[in-house]
Amino acid sequence: MAGDSLRGKNDLTKEEIFNLIDELARLKVFSVCVFGGEPLCRKDIFDILDYLMKYHFNISMNTNAALVTKEIAERIAGYDRIKGLCVSLDGDTSEIMDAIRGEGAFNKVMQGIENILSTQSLSVLLSVTINRINFRRIRELALLGKKIGATGVRYNSVFFGGSAACNSKELALSPSQHWEVIKAMDLAREEFGGFISGSYLQEVDILKSLKTKKPELQDVIKVNPCGAATKKCYIGPDGWVSPCELICNVRAGNIREKGLGDIWLNSEVMKSFREPIVYSLKEHEKCIGCLYKRLCYQGHRCSPYYYENGLKIEETACLVD
């Protein structure tokens, strides 16, 4: 469940969000993640959190921490089912972080993290999106996480929704940079163990498993369903429902027009995400006999919405020089 601000003309009202929470309870939803945008931009965010506490949801919350004062941190700490916050941090110095998120961002976030941890009851998980600006700071970000007392650092790849869609050339890793990140993540896991997590470690494991395999000469590749529309969905601040927060532009229905249960069960968009996608590689002959194609096509079902022809094709993301 996403929140952003009260300035949006189409944002759900507090009463509409209350009705949605009631429906989530009727549908026996187990977990609710409150994120954005930035949920703390909503002036009524604590009214919403209070209402969530009426029910027995597992509740998590994502924030960039820039708005987290000591008072706000203490208030969040007062909710016994919010044990910690996932905080976006994309640089270990102001020079790097501010280049990504704007002047002064690093200092604001670090102060917010300090306020969160000062409660003694809230933990912090750092969430890092790896891009062209920060990709050589993997170890340094883990060291910063250790220094401030975070529970861990999660490294994410860029998905080009929201503002990232307008800055893809500046953010997307080149193939050589991608390899550099994979190698750095392997070394970081040796040093930091379970303190670090994220999709790049899955790539490390896939690459290691491929060392004992021979290339398969198949001209199709199947991408199986992920958690989108099977274990979770995204509800935007304007009421639009999507299979996953990474593809909020893919709309399955609006809760102002239909109930969430109806959208979940009957939307053709949601149904499509529960079936495998089979891609033909006939137009991408370089992929057919490539050992690494499992690495290139593995993972989220988001690829059809971010790559030309629905594929991570060799012109944009090939890992073989």
Side-chain angles (χ1 to χ4, degrees), residues 168-310:
S168 58
K169 291 182 179 180
E170 291 79 13
L171 295 173
L173 297 178
S174 68
S176 62
Q177 290 169 342
H178 194 150
W179 277 115
E180 192 171 334
V181 168
I182 290 172
K183 293 174 183 176
M185 288 299 302
D186 194 16
L187 291 173
R189 184 161 60 180
E190 289 182 10
E191 181 175 359
F192 298 102
F195 183 74
I196 65 171
S197 61
S199 59
Y200 285 106
L201 289 175
Q202 297 173 13
E203 295 188 0
V204 170
D205 292 336
I206 289 173
L207 282 169
K208 289 182 176 180
S209 72
L210 291 176
K211 289 183 178 180
T212 59
K213 296 184 179 181
K214 296 180 179 180
E216 297 176 354
L217 296 176
Q218 57 185 28
D219 59 7
V220 297
I221 193 161
K222 182 171 74 171
V223 179
N224 289 317
C226 58
T230 60
K231 298 179 180 178
K232 66 176 182 178
C233 68
Y234 165 92
I235 305 169
D238 53 2
W240 282 102
V241 179
S242 301
C244 173
E245 69 276 8
L246 298 177
I247 46 169
C248 53
N249 59 317
V250 181
R251 295 176 167 182
N254 195 294
I255 61 168
R256 284 173 168 150
E257 300 169 0
K258 294 182 179 180
L260 178 62
D262 186 5
I263 296 170
W264 176 267
L265 290 173
N266 300 315
S267 165
E268 292 302 319
V269 171
M270 302 295 268
K271 289 179 181 179
S272 70
F273 272 75
R274 296 169 188 145
E275 298 294 332
I277 293 177
V278 179
Y279 295 121
S280 171
L281 301 180
K282 291 180 180 179
E283 295 182 4
H284 308 287
E285 293 184 3
K286 186 178 178 181
C287 299
I288 293 175
C290 180
L291 180 64
Y292 299 111
K293 62 176 174 282
R294 181 183 164 206
L295 178 65
C296 294
Y297 294 107
Q298 64 90 29
H300 299 282
R301 287 282 297 270
C302 303
S303 298
Y305 303 94
Y306 294 117
Y307 293 94
E308 183 182 357
N309 299 325

